[in-house]
Amino acid sequence: MTLAGGAVLALAPVLLLVALLIKLEDRGPIFFVQKRTGRGNRFFPIFKFRSMRVEKLDATGNRSASKDDDRITRIGRFIRRTSIDELPQLFNVLRGEMSISWACHRPA
């Protein structure tokens, strides 16, 4: 919790800048929220910065993103390539829904 809290404070300027850029690009929501299974097979909402166009979001995960995916926004390409889209998972850590080791794991 301490590590996640410190990271949120240290990264606050980046988090705010990315949130602003996402909002300015297409006025949609800043976060993409998806249900994931956690400890004890309990569902929790995982937070990520939204990198795809609102009208083309796939919250159920039926379609995997590809390199030249037409759903990805301009800022989305950058935040996905740099893994900045994963930073909001620090809030999941602060809420006790994830651990830092799980938040740092990115499926292939």
Side-chain angles (χ1 to χ4, degrees):
M1 290 271 216
T2 304
L3 185 60
V8 167
L9 287 175
L11 294 169
V14 173
L15 295 168
L16 291 171
L17 178 63
V18 171
L20 179 65
L21 291 172
I22 290 170
K23 196 58 152 171
L24 288 174
E25 184 162 19
D26 67 2
R27 305 281 184 230
I30 294 166
F31 297 111
F32 172 71
V33 183
Q34 190 176 47
K35 289 212 183 251
R36 295 281 174 92
T37 307
R39 180 180 287 158
N41 290 324
R42 290 194 174 130
F43 286 103
F44 69 95
I46 193 168
F47 299 106
K48 293 185 177 192
F49 279 126
R50 183 177 56 83
S51 62
M52 295 191 178
R53 301 185 195 303
V54 175
E55 69 276 5
K56 296 184 178 187
L57 284 177
D58 180 18
T60 59
N62 290 326
R63 179 179 166 196
S64 295
S66 61
K67 184 179 178 191
D68 296 319
D69 200 311
D70 65 328
R71 300 173 295 167
I72 300 174
T73 63
R74 288 178 295 160
I75 186 67
R77 274 196 209 296
F78 175 75
I79 64 175
R80 289 171 74 96
R81 187 173 54 246
T82 58
S83 297
I84 291 172
D85 62 325
E86 308 284 344
L87 289 178
Q89 291 176 26
L90 290 168
F91 296 114
N92 289 109
V93 174
L94 291 174
R95 291 167 47 131
E97 298 161 334
M98 293 174 63
S99 66
I100 289 288
S101 63
W102 201 67
C104 293
H105 171 71
R106 187 175 184 143

